[in-house]
Amino acid sequence: MQDFAPSVAASGSGTELLDSAVAHLMHETGASVVMLYLLPKNDTTLRLALLAGVPAPLAFPWTRVPLSAPIPVADAVRLGCLIWLGSQEELARRYPRPALVLPYQFALAAAPLHTGTAQKGGLVLMWPGSHPPQLRSDERAAVLRGCNGIGTLLRQSASNGYPIVAGSQPRVLPPPEPPEPDPVEAAAVMEFVQRLPGGSCALALDGTVTYLNDAAAALLGAQADEVHGTLPWVSLPWLHDPSVEDHYRAAVISRQKTSFTVLRPPDQWLSFQLFPNATGISVRIMPTSEPGPVDAPAPSLPPSGAVPSRATALYHLMHLAATLTEAVGTQDVIELAGDQLMPAFRVQTLVVMTSADGRLRVEGRRGSRPTLMDRFDGAPLSSATPAAHVLTTGIPDFFPTFADLERAYPRAGLRNVVGACAFLPLIVSGHPVGSLILAYDRPQPFDPEERALLTSIAGLLAQALDRARLYDTKNRLAHSLQAHLLPQTLPSITGLDVAARYLPSTRGMGVGGDFYDLIRLDDTTAAATIGDVQGHNENAAALMGQVRTAVHASAGAPPDEVLARTNRLLTDLDPGLFTSCLYVHLDLAGHSACLATAGHPGPLLRQPDGQTEVLDLPPGLLLGIDPASRYPTAQVPLPPGATLAMYTDGLVEAPGVDFDDATADLAEHFALALDQDMDSVADTLVRYARRYTPGNDDIALLLINALRQDG
């Protein structure tokens, strides 16, 4: 573990302006941990900007959180609401990934940060495991006040021309200073400690020893100055056991007493009791007669080195494994691996290389020197490079210093820009398919334990990449199918300015039944349609093509007849899937529109002055249910300068969000984009959708602007 020195890492990003607000929030709510995330403009990944209550390494797995991730803070920001998890059981039920990595008792709240209607980030607050399962009303009010106050600071800083942004590393607030005792009190405290049976020890929140009395030193079998300032599971090899550090981690996060028993070789059993608070951990060490299993061997003494302890390694491995199960594409895997591996193992550069047509190919890169291996991109697999050697042989290569790398590959032409390198094979079903390159800015010993750990990680990454490449292949085929079923371009129609967008679901095959179309009828009339076939697979896409063709063939008839004919066709086909559809007949000369809907959301109509409403259309049954269904029409004025926004429900549907509220919010965004051109408006609404909705549904959007006379 590291100390709280990284609090200066974000200096210059402005996060220091939030220090007092976060400290006040902790005091008002009684929370023991606060994590403040910021959302960069036009980005979909939250960045951890400020951390209080725990050391930075405990938060490494969550320094970057995609809004699509099944993580409480991502849901809070995306859905715009406070999320409360009152127990470990509730966390495990709703969010299994973080529960797997943090199997400790604590309560958690996540809330969005916003300035007006713009989401700026999110807050995570954690309370000790002793907190009741319910969030009290005064605590909820304090959380919301804190969010509002921080949102005000963010808005003021941005308006002053100095927006607060997340630094390259999160800023870590130091723990509160303990009260300074007077000399008489200090002497009395020391006498009190010395009279206690057993040994007394104090740890900082980062786990380093800050105090050790003589009795504790004797029980540990070490000199006090040898242990002071160190992590005990590093300086005392017999404590180098995952369970020891796990108990420390449990004490820091849950803020509850924890205890464990360890054998100090050869035969001395010691009991450790940990008492945590906001400033550190008090430890009582007592000899115990509890022998444990009589045949338990004394633990081996592993070598010390730069590799993380076994508990830390397991912590990161579990989080990496859980995270990679949710990766859906090659770049997704590389991004997630970089987020987990680089801070945990102090790696400066990560590169993934694969092979294509007998040559090396850089698949992805992260870090301070992303172009490190670019000169070998396209090199033959027979080339004298470590990446090619690892890929063809499946044998990892470790180079503790640059000199070692240069001796092994003198003609590779690698510059002296790294202190150490590891080249790890990515093996799937016994066959190497690529290589993972990790570069460090200083020499790295790569002891046997670290080599085994990194090789295991490469194995996890290889399996995830293999799944991701299969997904990428299917996704390309799906997108090709979708592209051929949707109009390649929209027709140019005098008097109209139009824009359209289609976004596939971020889950599954990326193909579905959403469709749109714009049809020229004659010099003064046109038709527009949008719809959504039930499902997200190739069957839905195929039916979508049939529906679009049927609507196109009937276009020009009154809207009710177009939908009735299409409905009869679908019921005859009996595909087992239902379809929503909105059809609009545009009278350009009369500046009006006639609309009919088959179970589809009503469009938004923005008037030339910016006034925006959701059109309340007479309901019509979904297509494909009843062949005798009728579809009543509605006539609305469409004056020059007015704009219709037709969309599928993926634009506004999100778990836990009222559909009408989300539609009203969309209308507000639409109204605020009055002065933008149609393409910019479309992009604005799509950004709204992907920021506030989970991306589990397709999105189709069609904008139609009736041009002004001078337009």
Side-chain angles (χ1 to χ4, degrees), residues 52-265:
V54 293
L58 290 188
F60 274 160
W62 294 282
T63 54
R64 297 173 76 252
V65 177
L67 284 178
S68 59
I71 301 293
V73 68
D75 279 357
V77 174
R78 195 174 61 239
L79 303 179
C81 63
L82 186 146
I83 290 176
W84 169 252
L85 301 164
S87 67
Q88 174 65 18
E89 291 76 15
E90 187 176 5
L91 178 69
R93 185 175 67 253
R94 295 174 58 185
Y95 298 96
R97 188 215 291 182
L100 177 68
V101 184
L102 297 172
Y104 313 120
Q105 293 299 323
F106 58 88
L108 181 147
L113 295 172
H114 53 81
T115 58
T117 60
Q119 294 286 9
K120 294 298 183 182
L123 274 176
V124 175
L125 297 93
M126 296 168 62
W127 284 263
S130 56
H131 191 284
Q134 291 78 32
L135 182 65
R136 299 195 314 265
S137 59
D138 61 313
E139 292 172 327
R140 177 183 292 271
V143 171
L144 297 179
R145 282 197 305 272
C147 290
N148 290 335
I150 293 171
T152 299
L153 287 174
L154 294 173
R155 183 175 63 252
Q156 290 174 344
S157 298
S159 64
N160 292 334
Y162 298 97
I164 299 173
V165 297
S168 58
Q169 297 293 328
R171 179 177 175 82
V172 185
L173 297 187
E177 290 289 337
E180 189 74 27
D182 59 48
V184 175
E185 185 182 17
V189 170
M190 184 60 67
E191 286 297 319
F192 169 79
V193 171
Q194 295 296 344
R195 285 193 294 265
L196 290 175
S200 298
C201 173
L203 306 178
L205 279 183
D206 66 357
T208 55
V209 177
T210 59
Y211 170 76
L212 189 74
N213 70 359
D214 294 339
L219 288 170
L220 297 177
Q223 297 295 322
D225 58 355
E226 296 174 351
V227 180
H228 192 275
T230 70
L231 298 171
W233 46 86
V234 173
S235 56
L236 301 170
W238 53 275
L239 283 177
H240 193 81
D241 184 284
S243 65
V244 173
E245 190 177 349
D246 188 62
H247 279 91
Y248 148 77
R249 202 188 306 275
V252 171
I253 293 175
S254 71
R255 292 288 202 270
Q256 290 185 304
K257 172 193 169 183
T258 183
S259 60
F260 57 92
T261 302
V262 176
L263 174 66
R264 174 191 159 195

Side-chain angles (χ1 to χ4, degrees), residues 67-70 72 74-83 94-95 506-507 649-659 661-662 688-697:
L67 284 178
S68 59
D75 279 357
V77 174
R78 195 174 61 239
L79 303 179
C81 63
L82 186 146
I83 290 176
R94 295 174 58 185
Y95 298 96
T506 58
R507 298 289 177 185
D649 56 13
L651 195 67
V652 289
E653 278 193 337
V657 178
D658 182 80
F659 186 89
D661 290 344
Y688 159 84
R690 278 298 183 246
R691 181 167 293 180
Y692 291 89
T693 62
N696 291 334
D697 200 358

Side-chain angles (χ1 to χ4, degrees), residues 306-385:
V307 62
S309 67
R310 276 181 281 180
T312 301
L314 289 172
Y315 177 68
H316 290 293
L317 271 175
M318 289 176 65
H319 193 276
L320 178 63
T323 301
L324 290 178
T325 61
E326 295 159 0
V328 293
T330 301
Q331 293 306 312
D332 200 13
V333 169
I334 295 170
E335 289 290 317
L336 292 171
D339 289 345
Q340 302 304 316
L341 295 182
M342 295 179 70
F345 293 88
R346 303 180 185 91
V347 174
Q348 275 64 54
T349 301
L350 178 149
V351 181
V352 173
M353 301 196 78
T354 58
S355 63
D357 301 322
R359 294 181 177 274
L360 292 171
R361 182 178 69 185
V362 173
E363 196 79 40
R365 53 175 79 83
R366 287 284 302 278
S368 60
R369 299 185 182 276
T371 61
L372 180 67
M373 300 300 294
D374 277 8
R375 64 166 298 165
F376 303 117
D377 195 13
L381 293 182
S382 57
S383 61
T385 66

